[in-house]
Amino acid sequence: MGRPPCCDKGGVKKGPWTPEEDLVLVSYVQDHGPGNWRAVPTNTGLMRCSKSCRLRWTNYLRPGIKRGNFTDQEERLIVHLQALLGNRWAAIASYLPERTDNDIKNYWNTHLKKKLSKAAAAGAAGGGGGSGSGSGSSAGSAGADAKSGRAAAPKGQWERRLQTDIHTARQALREALALDPAAPAPSLRAKPEPEPEPLPAPGPAAGKAAAYASSAENIARLLEGWMRPGGTKASGSASRSSASAVSGGEGGSASHSATARTPEGSTGTSNCKAEDAGPSFSMLESWLLDDGMGIGHGDAGLMGMPLADPCQFF
DNA sequence: AACAATATCAACCGCAAAAAT
DNA sequence: TATTTTTGCGGTTGATATTGT
């Protein structure tokens, strides 16, 4: 017994996701909502384990994800929350709704930890050579996709496209595949033949290839109709992440809190405009103060604040 | 210009918790 | 209530990109 060999099944593909796979996954989630990941590989034909599908969606394809440069405020918040919560990245991520826990974790491990330790060691000897994480250099076995030649597209490009408009993304994919002679025949079909899916409220950008690439709009708005905060379609497992536990109480609003994690949370993000992203900072403050750290001391908001120790390093 | 070292980030793995049966 | 199944989390690895020599 133990655990079901979710990812040990034969024929499960590993390594980087291809645009085709992304497309299939997004199409599926579009139709069925996030959740029930178990069924995803079966129903889509993706040769990925359910975990992998969930991860891909949660960390990269989900609407409302902001990628790239962390702002100074975000940075401070992360440092502060990390000091309070420890490495509970999901909980931390719940206060940065546009960021994923994986992203935050990576950022912490690569940037912040180093920054902090450097600052801490500034008084002492200093130096701190290659800390980092693994950063291996040994040749591995994965990277099957690099070999497949499809990795040519700049990282993040497809996520962005898919988040912007799935229809356009499909079209672009078809074009790309048609144009790319080096590209091997796609092993996976974005559904047998992309039967035009009825996208409830295709945004204004729909159908304009040029538009979506630069548009900041994400799939959240485009898909507003099919994903509801209540998780109607998804019927997924509701809030049970620790993040929810932390933030759930103050979420206030009925169906979803600021959780960045749960499918509903992600769905929730679809309704998350910038202004309602996450709990108010006064809430955060009170929570932080409740935490017994005695920090924040009143006036300073979380973001622009003179924080506890960690931030003195900045 | 070529090589080496380092940094960054996407993805995987195993465990634990929660939900379902 | 006990057992099984599914989902979520955090740590870690490995490939690629970037920078330095």
Side-chain angles (χ1 to χ4, degrees):
Chain A
M1 280 181 289
R3 342 185 27 72
C6 156
C7 298
D8 295 341
K9 289 173 187 167
V12 174
K13 188 183 171 197
K14 294 182 181 180
W17 280 66
T18 64
E20 296 95 322
E21 290 173 309
D22 281 346
L23 200 52
V24 171
L25 181 57
V26 171
S27 292
Y28 180 83
V29 175
Q30 179 185 330
D31 289 340
H32 300 89
N36 195 14
W37 297 109
R38 185 83 178 134
V40 174
T42 311
N43 294 344
T44 61
L46 282 171
M47 305 302 282
R48 298 275 182 173
C49 72
S50 56
K51 260 180 167 181
S52 187
C53 294
R54 185 186 62 80
L55 196 73
R56 183 65 183 171
W57 170 261
T58 303
N59 286 340
Y60 302 98
L61 301 175
R62 165 169 73 86
I65 294 180
K66 184 167 117 191
R67 308 192 62 81
N69 308 327
F70 279 70
T71 66
D72 194 50
Q73 287 188 337
E74 287 174 318
E75 201 173 291
R76 289 177 185 221
L77 185 54
I78 291 168
V79 169
H80 187 57
L81 288 170
Q82 201 279 340
L84 290 173
L85 300 170
N87 295 354
R88 292 168 59 196
W89 306 116
I92 292 172
S94 69
Y95 290 93
L96 292 144
E98 295 179 316
R99 302 290 187 178
T100 68
D101 56 354
N102 204 39
D103 229 10
I104 292 172
K105 181 173 58 181
N106 278 336
Y107 190 68
W108 173 265
N109 285 331
T110 58
H111 293 85
L112 297 180
K113 204 159 74 175
K114 205 174 303 173
K115 211 168 177 176
L116 289 174
S117 64
K118 196 177 284 184
S131 52
S133 40
S135 82
S137 54
S138 56
S141 57
D145 284 76
K147 288 176 205 153
S148 84
R150 191 64 45 68
K155 293 200 169 190
Q157 178 183 332
W158 277 100
E159 288 91 337
R160 178 159 300 213
R161 289 186 173 197
L162 285 169
Q163 286 182 349
T164 305
D165 177 6
I166 188 166
H167 283 309
T168 320
R170 279 180 177 168
Q171 185 172 344
L173 174 61
R174 275 187 235 116
E175 289 169 6
L177 291 177
L179 290 177
D180 184 5
S187 54
L188 285 162
R189 273 261 166 255
K191 291 202 166 169
E193 226 347 86
E195 66 245 36
E197 251 143 336
L199 190 64
K208 292 189 177 180
Y212 76 71
S214 57
S215 171
E217 265 191 12
N218 60 36
I219 207 169
R221 296 208 182 93
L222 294 162
L223 303 183
E224 239 166 31
W226 63 273
M227 294 205 295
R228 297 180 186 75
T232 45
K233 270 191 162 182
S235 78
S237 48
S239 57
R240 63 169 142 111
S241 69
S242 58
S244 310
V246 172
S247 60
E250 67 240 0
S253 61
S255 46
H256 75 280
S257 61
T259 321
R261 256 323 195 171
T262 67
E264 287 68 43
S266 54
T267 349
T269 358
S270 64
N271 291 343
C272 262
K273 308 293 183 319
E275 59 267 23
D276 66 335
S280 74
F281 286 118
S282 58
M283 285 174 168
L284 279 174
E285 275 193 82
S286 61
W287 172 68
L288 291 172
L289 288 170
D290 281 351
D291 213 51
M293 289 288 290
I295 41 96
H297 293 125
D299 355 68
L302 247 187
M303 289 299 223
M305 67 263 152
L307 286 173
D309 323 339
C311 290
Q312 73 192 11
F313 298 125
F314 293 95

